[in-house]
Amino acid sequence: MNYSKKFIVEPGSSIRLKDLEPSFSKKNVKKISSIKEIKKLQEKMDEFQFRLFTEKKHALLIVLQAPDAGGKDGVVRHVIGSMNPQGCRVVSFKKPTQKELAHDFLWRIKRQVPKPGEVVIFNRSHYEDVLVVRVHDLVPKEVWSTRYEQINDFEQRLIAKDTHILKFFLHISKEEQLRRFKQRLNDPTRQWKISEEDYAEREYWASYEEAYEDALSKCSTDKAPWFVIPSDKKWFRNLAISKIIVEAMEKFGIEFPEPSVNIEDIRRKYHTAVHEGKKGERSSTNK
Ligand code: AMP
Ligand code: MG
């Protein structure tokens, strides 16, 4: 199965979340074998990220959006946690501060985009400005409705500067969300994650669905596609996202940089038979 093709929001199409399964099931995709596969994919991601980091030309921006308890933190940990922290950064966007609100909605976003060689994960993003902001009328419709185009322009400008963009919507069912909230209540290590606001937001489920459908349909483009990931099962979510990231990275075609020194010269100077022989002698006398 080609995961990218299966879960992409085709540019120019209009999606309906009700038509998409939050709980994907396919006979030949099993939890046990997937966990092994995820491990292999993590190694590949790590290798690609290393190439990106050494090449210092391309960058990768991964955008995560989901309802509360949708699994954004889990994706950060299990999927992206495999990469070398030296070249990775996670940015979580919360309710904007007064200072941030005094600027255009993209201001705080632009400051956090990846530099060449970097992988950056947005845990929530500029899309909140057409989601929570739209659902709760935080700005008038005349304002939020112009933002889809502004978002597309902004993303195209990043792409023009060799930043690859992958956007994932973690699709969970309303029932699964309630189950996860209950789990949080019962788990002292995760109680800090829950608030009454989370339950209150459930009242707006349908409005969020509508807002998501618009954002995903209007802002899925060839170079910055949206993927709707069935996320009721955490292992499948991790598998699908890892696959899509690896499939995309394979297409980047990133090579290791050319050496800036003359490799042959160095080899001749320090690795002739004489040098290597001496080294060999030393190690044999040590025995
Ligand atoms: P959490 O991710 O659970 O820590 O919560 C962050 C909160 O910040 C969520 O309720 C988001 O909806 C909210 N948030 C993020 N970005 C914005 C924004 N641009 N405007 C208003 N609320 C936002
Ligand atoms: Mg929350």
Side-chain angles (χ1 to χ4, degrees):
M1 182 167 76
N2 181 315
Y3 284 72
S4 311
K5 276 219 178 92
K6 175 90 186 142
F7 299 119
I8 195 170
V9 176
E10 281 298 336
S13 72
S14 289
I15 57 144
R16 292 197 20 97
L17 288 173
K18 285 201 171 55
D19 300 336
L20 302 171
E21 265 288 340
S23 181
F24 184 78
S25 52
K26 202 163 186 266
K27 275 206 192 80
N28 59 351
V29 185
K30 293 267 188 312
K31 183 173 178 177
I32 294 287
S33 53
S34 295
I35 288 170
K36 278 190 207 136
E37 199 174 351
I38 290 171
K39 276 244 160 328
K40 279 193 208 137
L41 290 165
Q42 285 177 328
E43 282 166 23
K44 282 195 179 169
M45 269 189 272
D46 187 40
E47 194 212 305
F48 279 118
Q49 187 243 333
F50 182 55
R51 284 181 189 226
L52 202 82
F53 182 71
T54 51
E55 185 219 37
K56 295 251 181 317
K57 183 170 183 292
H58 295 78
L60 174 62
L61 173 63
I62 295 171
V63 172
L64 299 178
Q65 286 287 160
D68 288 311
K72 299 187 305 304
D73 293 334
V75 172
V76 168
R77 208 161 9 139
H78 295 292
V79 181
I80 295 136
S82 62
M83 298 186 203
N84 183 346
Q86 202 174 11
C88 278
R89 199 152 49 85
V90 181
V91 188
S92 299
F93 290 99
K94 308 279 181 191
K95 285 192 182 91
T97 60
Q98 282 306 316
K99 187 176 172 191
E100 287 168 346
L101 281 174
H103 291 84
D104 165 66
F105 78 104
L106 288 172
W107 180 76
R108 64 174 183 164
I109 307 292
K110 287 177 182 163
R111 294 156 62 97
Q112 300 288 358
V113 298
K115 296 178 189 61
E118 230 185 353
V119 176
V120 169
I121 297 101
F122 281 179
N123 182 339
R124 300 188 191 271
S125 65
H126 40 303
Y127 284 93
E128 291 290 324
D129 291 279
V130 287
L131 294 166
V132 64
V133 168
R134 164 174 166 170
V135 168
H136 289 287
D137 294 318
L138 300 182
V139 301
K141 183 174 182 183
E142 299 84 77
V143 175
W144 62 251
S145 61
T146 64
R147 289 182 172 169
Y148 302 98
E149 216 178 307
Q150 292 181 58
I151 289 175
N152 285 339
D153 286 347
F154 160 66
E155 291 181 358
Q156 291 309 311
R157 277 198 299 278
L158 287 183
I159 292 159
K161 287 193 289 179
D162 289 324
T163 297
H164 298 274
I165 306 176
L166 299 170
K167 302 176 292 198
F168 296 101
F169 169 62
L170 314 183
H171 188 207
I172 58 163
S173 61
K174 205 174 170 188
E175 301 75 47
E176 175 63 17
Q177 186 190 51
L178 191 61
R179 211 179 59 79
R180 291 185 186 180
F181 282 177
K182 197 171 165 193
Q183 263 179 353
R184 287 183 179 183
L185 281 184
N186 295 337
D187 177 353
T189 67
R190 284 192 292 171
Q191 282 166 350
W192 63 272
K193 270 192 167 187
I194 197 91
S195 71
E196 278 198 60
E197 202 188 328
D198 294 334
Y199 289 89
E201 283 299 90
R202 285 170 61 78
E203 303 289 319
Y204 298 90
W205 191 272
S207 312
Y208 270 108
E209 267 190 347
E210 213 178 302
Y212 266 114
E213 285 168 354
D214 255 359
L216 303 177
S217 302
K218 290 179 199 278
C219 299
S220 190
T221 57
D222 280 334
K223 293 279 176 66
W226 267 109
F227 298 93
V228 177
I229 306 297
S231 296
D232 273 4
K233 293 188 196 115
K234 295 175 182 175
W235 63 268
F236 183 79
R237 170 201 77 198
N238 292 344
L239 175 71
I241 294 182
S242 312
K243 277 261 193 197
I244 293 170
I245 294 175
V246 169
E247 281 166 9
M249 283 177 148
E250 277 171 351
K251 283 199 204 133
F252 297 173
I254 297 166
E255 299 300 331
F256 286 110
E258 286 295 316
S260 56
V261 294
N262 188 326
I263 296 295
E264 262 321 303
D265 270 1
I266 293 184
R267 206 173 268 146
R268 220 174 297 122
K269 219 163 144 189
Y270 301 106
H271 295 276
T272 56
V274 180
H275 289 99
E276 306 261 309
K278 271 190 185 159
K279 215 169 143 200
E281 271 165 33
R282 210 177 300 136
S283 64
S284 62
T285 51
N286 282 348
K287 271 183 196 160

